[in-house]
Amino acid sequence: MKVIEAPLDGCLIIEPEVYSDSRGFFYESFHVERYRKEAGLNLPFVQDNFSYSERGVLRGLHFQRTRPQGKLVRVTHGESFDVAVDIRRGSTSFGQWYGLILSAENRRQFWMPPGFAHGFLALSETLAFEYKCTDYYQPEDEGGIAWDDPELAIQWPLQNGVPLKLSVKDSSAPMFSAYRDEIFL
Ligand SMILES: Cc1cn([C@H]2C[C@H](O)[C@@H](COP(=O)(O)OP(=O)(O)O[C@H]3O[C@H](C)C(=O)[C@H](O)[C@H]3O)O2)c(=O)[nH]c1=O
C-alpha cells in the first residue's frame, strides 16, 4: 500500500494495493499490523460507521470536544470531497483545512488523528461513506463548525444547480471562532 503525508500534521492518504483480474478487483481495506507498521496507525478502532448521501449533501464539520475521534475514512460507492480541519491549538497546522476527493474509483482512504473537525460533500448521485473511529460516538460531546466559515474559507467544489442539503444542526453550526477559548487535543 502507498502512504502519502497530507499537508495537515498527522493526516495521511492511504492507497491500498488493488488486485484486479477478469472478475473485478480485491483489496484489503484495513489490516492492523500493516497499518501500524506502514502508516503508524496504532490507535485501536472501536466503531465503524456507514452513511449514505445523495448529491449535494454536506455533512459536517463535526468533532468531539473531550473525546476526539481519530477517523479512517473511505468511499465505497460514488465520490465525495472530504475535508479535515486541524483544531489542535498546539499543532503546526492549527486552523488549516485540507480537502481531497475520495471515491470508489480512486479507492483512497484518508486518516485524520484525534483533534480534527471533519466533513464531506457528496459529489455523485449517491454516496456510500464508510469510516473507522478510535473512540465512541458521544452525542453530548459533539461540536460543530459552519461549513462556510469565512475564517476557514474551505473551497468546497459546489456544483452548479445542485442545492446543498444540510441537517438542521449543520445549518446552524457556529463559526470556528466560537471555540477560541477551548483547548482541543
Ligand atoms: C455520528 C453518529 C450518529 N449517530 C446517529 C445520531 C443521529 O440520530 C443520526 C445522524 O447523526 P448525524 O446527523 O450527526 O450524522 P452525520 O451528519 O453523518 O455526522 C457525521 O458526520 C461527520 C462527517 C463525521 O465525521 C461524524 O462521524 C459524524 O458527526 O445517527 C449514531 O448513532 N452514531 C454516530 O456515531
Side-chain angles (χ1 to χ4, degrees), residues 155-173:
Q155 301 300 301
W156 298 96
L158 303 179
Q159 298 170 313
N160 290 334
V162 178
L164 278 184
K165 294 173 208 162
L166 297 162
S167 63
V168 171
K169 172 180 70 176
D170 291 347
S171 307
S172 54

Side-chain angles (χ1 to χ4, degrees), residues 65-150:
R65 306 162 84 137
T66 63
R67 295 271 303 265
Q69 296 168 305
K71 293 171 189 165
L72 180 62
V73 303
R74 67 191 183 114
V75 165
T76 51
H77 172 81
E79 183 178 81
S80 75
F81 183 73
D82 195 68
V83 172
V85 179
D86 191 346
I87 60 173
R88 302 167 302 178
R89 205 162 293 283
S91 165
T92 54
S93 50
F94 172 69
Q96 294 176 31
W97 70 274
Y98 173 71
L100 75 165
I101 297 286
L102 296 180
S103 68
E105 195 181 348
N106 71 20
R107 299 156 190 158
R108 282 183 149 185
Q109 300 173 341
F110 184 54
W111 161 248
M112 63 200 87
F116 285 79
H118 177 236
F120 61 84
L121 171 65
L123 297 173
S124 47
E125 276 315 308
T126 56
L127 174 71
F129 196 92
E130 305 192 22
Y131 47 118
K132 306 177 82 67
C133 304
T134 61
D135 204 341
Y136 297 109
Y137 174 59
Q138 310 278 336
E140 71 289 347
D141 190 39
E142 198 174 50
I145 298 171
W147 64 277
D148 57 348
D149 185 333

